[in-house]
Amino acid sequence: MRIFVTGASGWIGSAVVPELIDAGHQVVGLARSDASAAALTAAGADVVRGTVDDLDVLRDAAAASDGVIHLAFKHDIAFTGDFLGAAEADRRAVDAFGDVLAGTGRPLVIASGVAGLATGRVITERDRPTIDGSPTSVRAATSEAVLALAPRDVRACVARLSPTCHGEGDRGFLASLVAMARAHGVSGYLGDGANRWPAVHRLDAARLFRLAVEKAPAGSVLHGVAEEGVAIRDVAEVIGRHLGVPVSSVAPEDAAGHFSWLGGFLGLDAPASHTLTGELLDWRPVHPGLIEDLDKGHYFAAPAA
C-alpha cells in the first residue's frame, strides 16, 4: 500500500514510518520543514511539503494514496493557549480527507486520546466522548466525524492513544514531569497520587497504527493502551529516586503553580482497556511498561526540553 502519513516526523509518526516500511508499504510523509523532510527521506519515505493547514496539499496526497494515517496536531499552539484553534484546524484536515476518500473503501486512521472520556472506571473502546462545545470536545467531535465516514465507504478508524506514549527520546508528559521535578527539587503528584494513567510504548503504538491501516474494519475504535493504569505516585517515586529528590504530594490548589500546563491533566484517573482492540487486530504489546522504561534511565540522561 501507498500510505500518506501526517505528523510523520513526530514522536509517534517517526515510529510509524519505519513500521510501515518494514512491512512492505510505501510511505509518503507530510513535512513542514527542511529538517522533517530530511528525516523522512533518511527513513526511506517520500516527502510532500506542507502543513495541516494546506488543505489542497492534503487532498492531493490522499487522492494519490491507498490510505491515510493522520497523526499531525498543532501541539505547539494547543498547549500554549489555543487548543480550540488546533482542534478546528484538525477538523478541517479530517474533513478534507473524508471528502477525497468517500466512496473509495480506502482506510483513514486518525489519532485521538483516551484521557478525559470517563473518570474513576476503566474506559473501553465502546465509550464515546461527551460533546459539549468545550475546546477538548471539539477535538473529540472530530473523532466522531471520522467514524461517521464509514457509511460513506471510507474504512474509517480512530486509534485512541494513552496519555503516556513513552520510550527513548520522549519529550512529552513524562519528560515534562522529570523537568519539573528537577526544577523544583521535588518529585510531585496530586493528592494521594492514586489516580491512574494508561500507558503504551511508542513502538507498540506504531504497530497498532500499521495493523489499523491494514485491516481494521470501518467504524473501528481502537485503544493504544498497553497498561490499564499506572498510579501517578508510582511514577513520581521512580522520578524522585533517579533524580535524588524527595517525593511529595502537591495540593490541588497548587497544581497550576507546580505543574504549569500539566496541572489540569495530572489529577485525572483514567484507566483504560485494550481488550477489544487485542481481539479485533491480534495486537499484543510486547515492549517495556512505563515503570520499567523509566528505570532504564534515558529520561534522566539529560535535562528534558
Side-chain angles (χ1 to χ4, degrees):
M1 295 172 67
R2 177 182 171 91
I3 302 171
F4 177 50
V5 182
T6 72
S9 61
W11 173 236
I12 301 299
S14 59
V16 169
V17 168
E19 175 74 26
L20 292 170
I21 291 174
D22 288 348
H25 299 293
Q26 179 185 4
V27 175
V28 180
L30 183 69
R32 63 177 181 174
S33 69
D34 291 342
S36 293
L40 289 172
T41 299
D46 296 329
V47 175
V48 170
R49 294 299 296 263
T51 74
V52 291
D53 293 320
D54 297 322
L55 300 184
D56 286 340
V57 172
L58 301 186
R59 291 187 188 98
D60 290 345
S65 299
D66 299 311
V68 175
I69 297 178
H70 177 50
L71 303 173
F73 190 72
K74 300 172 84 169
H75 291 98
D76 52 341
I77 68 170
F79 294 112
T80 56
D82 191 16
F83 193 96
L84 179 59
E88 290 174 340
D90 189 51
R91 178 58 181 268
R92 290 190 293 269
V94 164
D95 286 346
F97 289 137
D99 290 341
V100 169
L101 296 176
T104 68
R106 298 175 190 170
L108 170 61
V109 182
I110 76 159
S112 185
V114 298
L117 287 172
T119 59
R121 65 172 177 82
V122 177
I123 301 163
T124 78
E125 294 88 339
R126 294 191 178 97
D127 282 301
R128 290 293 181 269
T130 299
I131 310 300
D132 58 10
S134 65
T136 53
S137 79
V138 170
R139 189 182 189 192
T142 297
S143 297
E144 295 298 289
V146 168
L147 297 177
L149 291 170
R152 297 175 61 192
D153 194 23
V154 178
R155 189 156 60 80
C157 171
V158 173
R160 297 174 180 161
L161 291 173
S162 303
T164 47
C165 292
H166 56 90
E168 189 164 1
D170 180 14
R171 288 295 179 265
F173 286 159
L174 281 182
S176 296
L177 280 176
V178 171
M180 291 169 188
R182 185 179 274 118
H184 291 292
V186 59
S187 181
Y189 54 87
L190 286 178
D192 63 5
N195 61 297
R196 299 152 293 173
W197 276 18
V200 65
H201 196 284
R202 70 188 284 258
L203 298 180
D204 285 318
R207 185 158 43 87
L208 177 62
F209 278 101
R210 174 178 62 80
L211 293 172
V213 79
E214 289 176 344
K215 62 182 182 179
S220 298
V221 175
L222 309 173
H223 274 189
V225 172
E227 295 175 281
E228 186 174 282
V230 180
I232 296 299
R233 179 169 182 166
D234 292 344
V235 174
E237 287 176 346
V238 176
I239 293 172
R241 173 160 47 82
H242 276 269
L243 294 181
V245 299
V247 179
S248 178
S249 173
V250 175
E253 59 268 24
D254 297 327
H258 188 93
F259 296 109
S260 183
W261 58 273
L262 194 51
F265 301 97
L266 198 61
L268 287 176
D269 184 45
S273 166
H274 77 263
T275 300
L276 299 179
T277 299
E279 293 172 353
L280 182 66
L281 297 181
D282 194 28
W283 178 69
R284 301 288 183 266
V286 297
H287 291 280
L290 176 58
I291 298 300
E292 181 183 353
D293 200 15
L294 275 172
D295 262 332
K296 288 179 178 294
H298 53 81
Y299 277 93
F300 313 98

